[in-house]
């Protein structure tokens, strides 16, 4: 049976053990699922290398990488938002996880929907790399060293990106440029940039370029303030998805977790979930976390955490924009059991999001921390909704739906909202 035949699978809570005899002992092989792209394999091998640093794990487990192509990897002729599909980069992998063919999946967190399919959860989130976007100039242009910023590119220059979020924001700031869709893995996109005539620059995630050791191709990084380009929810972070309540895998993964990253990304994912946004909507964020302590810095209970967010929703063409900022401060021990009655709009400080966007609550020391992070995201989203963000997002979805209908009638029609 093919791992892609999702209709035939029966759900299993635990995968059958895969045992190998090593000398006098017995080890279990943990099978780690990954997309078949070069970047995905690098990220998965990074997780495996981290796990192998723990001698207590290597005494019990071997680690095997299992790769497969996803729907998102196969669709190369259109913007992903126009497919109308969810879980484009996760579906085949989740099917294999459900069946027990693999034990966990390494994802770019930004690819994971804020509502996971039943039976799955996020068992680990690693320390975040750069969340920012980076501009890569065509080699011939970069060598000439003429341009230090997008504003320096000549009028009519074409910039490629697969992100509606980037396009909507950058069209507001750089109306003299033409932004068009570009698909394919990073190698493919760089080849299209350097060997073709269509693009003078492309925009990619800085974290992905660095993980592939392509730092030298980064012409400049898009600063959220200077370039007015907020990053994607979860961008730069790696997550590991497991079967729900798989205590063995939670134990295996426990040393990988970075609490600050978990809290900031939970706030972002809660923000996106409350907005009912996704890959087909231009939504950007920036999030920061800082800690202050009393004079007794050894007393964890006296630490105060400040979590700040800036959220933005735009129309597809970037003509309309709604944004807001919000911060909250909280400690490791909640007041009134962590459930105060103050709120904003439809958001109360209570457990509205029971599953924390699919993140297992045990991977953070204190559930209260996750409640506060989730609350901030929902609170900021509600502030934008009160300003009209829902209508803006619904309009985006309607336009995309019409484009999808046109694609069915006219093959390879140009995506009007990503091309001037």
């Amino acid at each position: 049976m093919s791992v892609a035949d999702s209709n035939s699978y029966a759900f299993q809570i635990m995968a059958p053990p895969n045992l190998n005899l090593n000398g006098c002992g017995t080890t279990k092989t943990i099978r780690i699922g990954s997309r078949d792209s070069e970047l995905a394999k690098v990220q998965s091998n990074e997780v495996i290398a981290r796990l192998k640093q723990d001698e207590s794990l290597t005494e019990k487990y071997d680690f095997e990488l299992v790769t497969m192509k996803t729907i998102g990897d196969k669709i190369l002729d259109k913007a992903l938002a126009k497919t109308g599909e969810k879980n484009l980069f996760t579906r085949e992998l989740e099917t294999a996880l459900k069946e027990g063919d693999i034990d966990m999946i390494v994802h770019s967190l930004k690819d994971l929907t804020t509502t996971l399919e039943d039976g799955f959860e996020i068992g680990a989130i690693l320390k975040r790399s750069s969340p920012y976007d980076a501009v890569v100039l065509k080699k011939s242009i970069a060598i000439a060293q003429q341009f230090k910023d997008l504003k320096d590119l000549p009028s009519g220059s074409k910039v490629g990106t697969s992100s509606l979020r980037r396009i909507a924001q950058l069209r507001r700031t750089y109306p003299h440029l033409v932004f068009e869709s570009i698909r394919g893995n990073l190698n493919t996109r760089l080849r299209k940039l350097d060997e073709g005539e269509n693009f003078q620059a492309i925009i990619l995630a800085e974290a992905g370029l660095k993980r592939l050791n392509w730092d030298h191709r980064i012409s400049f990084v898009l600063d959220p303030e200077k370039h007015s380009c907020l990053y994607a929810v979860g961008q730069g972070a790696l997550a590991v998805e497991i079967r729900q309540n798989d205590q063995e895998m939670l134990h295996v993964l426990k040393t990988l977790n970075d609490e600050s990253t978990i809290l900031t990304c939970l706030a972002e994912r809660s923000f996106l979930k409350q907005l009912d946004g996704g890959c087909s909507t231009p939504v950007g964020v920036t999030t920061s976390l800082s800690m202050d302590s009393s004079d007794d810095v050894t007393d964890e209970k006296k630490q105060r955490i400040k979590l700040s967010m800036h959220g933005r929703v735009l129309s597809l063409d970037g003509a309309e924009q709604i944004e807001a900022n919000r911060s909250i401060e909280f400690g490791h021990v909640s007041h009134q059991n962590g459930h105060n009655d103050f709120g904003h709009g439809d958001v109360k400080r209570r457990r509205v999001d029971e599953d924390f966007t699919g993140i297992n609550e045990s991977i953070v020391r204190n559930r209260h921390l996750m409640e506060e992070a989730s609350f901030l995201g929902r609170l900021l989203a509600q502030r934008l909704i009160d300003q009209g963000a829902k209508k803006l997002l619904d309009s985006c979805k309607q336009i995309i739906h019409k484009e999808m209908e046109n694609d069915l009638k006219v093959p390879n029609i140009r995506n009007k909202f990503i091309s001037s």
Side-chain angles (χ1 to χ4, degrees), residues 167-204:
I167 292 169
Q169 293 184 98
L170 294 174
R171 287 188 70 171
R172 289 178 63 88
T173 310
Y174 307 101
H176 69 293
L177 301 179
V178 177
F179 294 93
E180 292 191 350
S181 178
I182 184 170
R183 290 298 324 286
N185 59 39
L186 294 189
N187 282 316
T188 300
R189 296 185 201 189
L190 288 171
R191 186 174 65 252
K192 288 179 179 179
L193 172 67
D194 293 330
E195 299 177 5
E197 300 295 330
N198 290 335
F199 301 105
Q200 283 68 55
I202 59 176
I203 304 176
L204 301 164

Side-chain angles (χ1 to χ4, degrees), residues 115-126:
T115 301
L116 301 184
E117 297 292 328
D118 289 343
F120 304 117
E121 65 184 3
I122 296 172
I125 298 178
L126 285 70

